[in-house]
Amino acid sequence: DQIYALYPRKIERAARTFVSGFPGDVLYAVKANPHPSLLNILWDEGVRRFDVASIREMDLVRSLFPTAQMFLMHPIKSRATIKHAYSLGVRDFAFDHDDELQKIIDCTGESSDLTLHLRLALPKGEAVMPLSGKFGADFDSAVTLLKSARSVASKLGLCFHVGSQCLVVESYDSSITYARRIVDAANIKIDSIDVGGGFPVAYPDMPITPMVDYFDAIQASLRKHSFQDLKILGEPGRALCAEGGATLARVELRKGADLYLNDGTYGSLFDAGQFAWKFPVTLHRNRPPTPSANTIGFRFFGPTCDSADTMNGPFHLPADACEGDWIEIGHLGAYGQTLATQFNGFHSQHTVILLGE
């Protein structure tokens, strides 16, 4: 079986960056990686708030951290999910449609203690993985919904998402500017603004700006648009856990520049196949000869019978990579193991904690 690895030191370092530097409250997006060991590391580093989307995520967080504050920021939820969340003490709910707003009101017994977060549909941005199209209220709808929600919400806020792996720092300023226009058009007082996720990680061929530049840009934009006195929230997922996880996959066969691995797109390498994502890779060999100093770009195939189980890369590894070698694929702490399926019987339950770097 393939092996999943967690690097606690890297996770700790990322958490400290956000807890000490982000200009507001940090909500960890549990969907990125719900492994209990990772969640415990984040808790130990001061993360006390969690963005949850499902009953299972809520139950997991509550079982680990009875005092954690949970935010149900998925804009579309079943009635059962809303009721369960409220029973667990969740009071923060996102919505992007009047019918969803009514569901929240109905399923919480017309409660007067709700904090409602209106999800905005942003104009298409420049993130590597845009998230526009599925969620969010457009400008006119947002103005109407703010007015409707103000009378039923104890506290009212706006939230948005600039897109996953946002490499353009200015995207946060343009999104906050857009939020200001909506607030002005509605002429409604809000209590919070949630700048969402999108904070990036450096992958091969994808250098990033230092995270402090993102924090400074957000803070400057909040001041510029007179939002600095509101409660500020952020929802990092990838940036907190990506570098802290890896997959160790074994080479089962080599055909030229193609390596057939025991993990693939139905496992932890979904992003590598679906979005042509490149990941840092290292070859491990515990037998002679020492791996070649020369490298070439390989294509990966996963272990299933499905021809779609393909990862084009290229992934640069020693030119003599062969059967029996192990490939460590890094930065899979986010959307790696958490996306793995049991398709075709190829899956693993093995996670190891590596205390070094």
Side-chain angles (χ1 to χ4, degrees), residues 121-267:
L122 298 177
K124 186 175 181 185
E126 301 180 70
V128 175
M129 196 181 295
L131 297 180
S132 58
K134 184 174 183 179
F135 297 124
D138 62 24
F139 190 98
D140 291 337
S141 297
V143 170
T144 300
L145 285 167
L146 274 180
K147 294 176 180 178
S148 299
R150 182 70 274 181
S151 62
V152 298
S154 172
K155 295 181 181 178
L156 180 62
L158 294 178
C159 61
F160 55 77
H161 201 303
V162 298
S164 190
Q165 189 71 0
C166 180
L167 303 180
V168 180
V169 175
E170 292 75 18
S171 293
Y172 289 90
D173 175 55
S174 60
S175 300
I176 293 168
T177 301
Y178 184 69
R180 180 76 259 175
R181 288 178 52 214
I182 289 173
V183 171
D184 289 345
N187 194 28
I188 290 292
K189 176 183 177 294
I190 63 169
D191 303 286
S192 66
I193 186 163
D194 178 355
V195 301
F199 301 99
V201 171
Y203 293 88
D205 302 330
M206 208 182 293
I208 66 169
T209 301
M211 200 55 61
V212 66
D213 290 359
Y214 285 83
F215 300 159
D216 289 346
I218 290 169
Q219 195 161 36
S221 184
L222 292 168
R223 285 196 301 267
K224 180 173 67 175
H225 296 294
S226 301
F227 284 143
Q228 72 275 10
D229 294 329
L230 303 182
K231 176 178 279 294
I232 308 303
L233 307 170
E235 304 173 22
R238 184 188 305 276
L240 284 179
C241 61
E243 294 185 19
T247 292
L248 288 157
R250 188 177 60 242
V251 178
E252 307 291 22
L253 186 73
R254 174 176 176 173
K255 293 182 182 179
D258 292 336
L259 297 180
Y260 290 72
L261 309 181
N262 68 343
D263 194 28
T265 62
Y266 291 95

